Amino acid sequence: MSELIVSLAAIVGEAHVLTDADTQAPYLTDWLGKYRGAAAAIVRPGSTEEVAAVMALCAERKVPVVPQGGNTSMSGGATPDASGQAIVLSLTRMNRIRAIDSIGNTMTVEAGVVLAKVQEAAQAAERFFPLSLGAEGSCTIGGNLAANAGGVAVLRYGTMRELTLGLEVVLPDGRIWDGLTALRKDNTGYALRDLFIGSEGTLGIITGAVLKLFPRPTARATAFVAIDDASAALALLSSVRARCGDRLTAFEFMTGDCLALILHHIADARLPLGAMPPAAVLIELSDADDEPALTRRLEGALTEALEAGGALDAAIAQDGTQAKAFWRIREGVSETLVRAGKAAKHDVSVPVAAMADFVAAANAAVSAVLPGIRPIVFGHLGDGNLHYNLLPPAYLDEDEFAAQAPGLTRIVHDETRKRRGSISAEHGIGQLRVSEMPRCKAPIELELMASLKRLFDPDGRLNPGKLLPHPTET
Ligand code: FAD
Ligand code: 2HG
Ligand code: ZN
């Protein structure tokens, strides 16, 4: 056993330093199966003090550290490189809910608490925590914060940044910043909290957070609506919003090709419409109103759209079971894409009004380069965020397509940039998009980010190779 391993075991206990290949394996590859790394050890601290001691030790020995939560990153953000030099710092043992304040409407949690547990604890306290995404059964609050996760309720409640009041962070040198305040107003200088949120584990280890809680919605109305295309989806978004205001909680778009693929790969997914549409949206309203009133409101909006020709067909869920079945279709997309083969994944945002134009232009541009390519487009249309996935044409195998992926990504990102969009709306840069940063971020932004990185992490040991390009590439 190396001296490093012995010292780590002295801090967290021998049982929580994993060194053999089998126990390490799940920590060394990502959810998509795209990356595989190596590590000196997987280290599983049980408290903030243990995290601080591990970080101080790693600073002294110049050991790189890759923070990891639920390991559901869509950008290879939590997978170490292949050198085996780094430790993976897994926060999943830090899974305590420290406090719920039902007057201030906050919940204080450790970073390793799984998102679904936070939702359940909020519900048990007759409150609501709105972050909701397909990986909620395994992703953690620390990962949600480090990635500034979005999901399906951003339209109404915002991203993780907007759902957070305070943070506790261990710095790369082992010092602890206790920023666990529950204040809604605090104008005492730079917003350190917001710097750590979305920093993808490159500036510090998030160990705790104070989250905002909301009144629990008592009514929901859910519809699955057939439409022509993204342009029709935008018109529908506008009319539903005009009628329903901020009761509109989710507005999720899927193309017909995306739907067909889901129905092919997900055995329990059923289309709630008479025929396969060219595209569809899943709409959810929520409110503290009574449910029949909310359903009537949604029916009114959809009747108007059907009469005006903006919607082709619509199904409104009659109960919670049906609503769940509608969501099963939407939530099956990522799983579907993994089964369908290795997609070239993009997570772009553009101004909402430019989305239809973006889809048309990107489809035309990638098809010109690779005829027969299959764009599988879906996402949080109400937020201007599309998951623009590309599957290979029938005549290319997986490796041939992988060789083409960087060129296709440049095309998709160029169409995004033309519309002043972003190359990552919610999944982060990780290692998947890091080579695109010098092309897609302004030099002044890269320079400021590199300065901040040097300030917090002068040795560049925290999650190396993620988010920021190597200094020589900028
Ligand atoms: P990990 O994957 O473990 O890590 C993510 C990043 O955070 C890495 O850079 C890691 O180093 C860093 N990190 C983790 N914990 C800490 C910590 N305590 N301190 C500092 N850094 C840390 N994302 C969305 O935004 N919206 C979606 O709708 C969505 N849907 C998804 C659906 C599926 C099926 C899957 C598999 C993923 C989805 N994701 C989505 C992506 C992913 O779930 C989120 O990014 C999630 O927030 C990651 O949480 P995690 O705990 O798994 O983090
Ligand atoms: C979603 O919105 C997730 O379902 C995953 O962000 C998207 O798999 C993807 O590309
Ligand atoms: Zn998403």
Side-chain angles (χ1 to χ4, degrees):
M1 223 190 283
S2 78
E3 202 217 321
L4 174 69
I5 304 298
V6 172
S7 305
L8 289 166
I11 299 168
V12 299
E14 209 171 309
H16 303 302
V17 181
L18 315 180
T19 51
D20 77 275
D22 285 350
T23 49
Q24 282 197 355
Y27 299 86
L28 298 179
T29 187
D30 62 318
W31 191 88
L32 293 167
K34 186 174 169 64
Y35 299 100
R36 192 169 296 277
I42 314 297
V43 183
R44 304 182 65 234
S47 68
T48 303
E49 290 68 32
E50 286 185 8
V51 173
V54 169
M55 292 308 283
L57 176 75
C58 290
E60 193 189 303
R61 311 278 164 89
K62 303 257 184 274
V63 176
V65 178
V66 178
Q68 191 178 95
N71 199 15
T72 65
S73 170
M74 284 262 165
S75 56
T79 311
D81 64 23
S83 70
Q85 301 289 308
I87 63 158
V88 170
L89 191 73
S90 167
L91 278 296
T92 52
R93 280 182 67 224
M94 291 191 60
N95 59 4
R96 282 172 290 260
I97 291 175
R98 290 187 188 160
I100 293 181
D101 172 356
S102 48
I103 294 177
N105 281 317
T106 62
M107 186 188 298
T108 305
V109 299
E110 293 184 343
V113 181
V114 168
L115 173 56
K117 294 283 173 207
V118 170
Q119 295 165 343
E120 284 163 21
Q123 171 138 358
E126 296 188 358
R127 299 289 184 278
F128 180 60
F129 184 66
L131 187 75
S132 173
L133 47 100
E136 63 197 24
S138 48
C139 66
T140 62
I141 291 298
N144 299 153
L145 283 160
N148 186 26
V152 295
V154 171
L155 196 54
R156 173 144 180 197
Y157 294 100
T159 65
M160 194 58 181
R161 181 171 275 127
E162 286 143 288
L163 301 176
T164 306
L165 291 169
L167 284 189
E168 179 185 81
V169 178
V170 176
L171 300 178
D173 61 11
R175 283 177 298 162
I176 300 170
W177 171 50
D178 177 356
L180 281 179
T181 66
L183 305 174
R184 305 245 165 193
K185 300 180 86 173
D186 175 15
N187 278 354
T188 52
Y190 305 134
L192 293 177
R193 171 193 70 198
D194 290 339
L195 199 53
F196 287 109
I197 298 175
S199 65
E200 300 188 31
T202 63
L203 297 182
I205 310 293
I206 298 167
T207 49
V210 182
L211 307 175
K212 288 185 196 170
L213 299 180
F214 294 78
R216 197 152 58 94
T218 47
R220 279 183 203 284
T222 313
F224 206 91
V225 187
I227 47 165
D228 267 323
D229 51 21
S231 190
L234 289 178
L236 185 62
L237 172 66
S238 187
S239 66
V240 172
R241 210 184 230 151
R243 267 188 166 255
C244 306
D246 67 3
R247 294 176 190 87
L248 180 59
T249 311
F251 196 92
E252 297 289 313
F253 173 77
M254 287 158 274
T255 58
D257 288 345
C258 177
L259 278 174
L261 203 68
I262 299 167
L263 295 172
H264 178 73
H265 285 281
I266 307 288
D268 58 338
R270 299 272 175 280
L271 186 69
L273 303 167
M276 177 63 82
V281 286
L282 176 52
I283 302 176
E284 188 160 284
L285 305 185
S286 63
D287 203 356
D289 210 347
D290 68 300
E291 205 143 287
L294 194 66
T295 305
R296 278 197 300 278
R297 193 179 278 280
L298 185 55
E299 265 166 10
L302 294 178
T303 305
E304 203 173 85
L306 285 163
E307 282 169 4
L312 307 174
D313 189 8
I316 296 186
Q318 297 306 305
D319 53 31
T321 312
Q322 268 189 17
K324 239 187 178 158
F326 290 7
W327 276 107
R328 175 68 186 118
I329 301 172
R330 169 63 183 85
E331 280 163 2
V333 198
S334 301
E335 204 178 322
T336 295
L337 284 164
V338 170
R339 290 186 194 171
K342 292 224 160 74
K345 295 187 86 68
H346 307 96
D347 165 42
V348 303
S349 62
V350 294
V352 178
M355 295 186 79
D357 178 51
F358 165 81
V359 174
N363 285 354
V366 294
S367 303
V369 171
L370 214 53
I373 191 166
R374 292 174 294 152
I376 302 296
V377 186
F378 66 100
H380 320 288
L381 190 115
D383 310 328
N385 175 195
L386 283 178
H387 299 305
Y388 189 86
N389 286 258
L390 293 170
L391 285 174
Y395 55 88
L396 283 191
D397 70 23
E398 211 170 78
D399 291 342
E400 288 165 334
F401 184 61
Q404 302 259 13
L408 294 164
T409 290
R410 283 195 290 276
I411 292 172
V412 174
H413 289 170
D414 285 347
E415 291 302 331
T416 308
R417 291 165 64 208
K418 277 184 207 162
R419 293 163 181 81
R420 293 190 69 95
S422 162
I423 63 164
S424 177
E426 58 174 13
H427 293 166
I429 298 300
Q431 49 187 308
L432 178 63
R433 304 186 173 91
V434 71
S435 64
E436 283 287 86
M437 287 292 267
R439 262 174 30 83
C440 299
K441 274 291 209 195
I444 189 165
E445 288 179 280
L446 288 172
E447 191 187 313
L448 289 170
M449 285 197 220
S451 306
L452 285 167
K453 173 73 173 168
R454 276 195 299 276
L455 178 70
F456 283 88
D457 180 21
D459 303 327
R461 287 181 303 102
L462 215 49
N463 216 0
K466 318 293 166 42
L467 179 58
L468 286 172
H470 193 272
T472 55
E473 291 167 37
T474 55

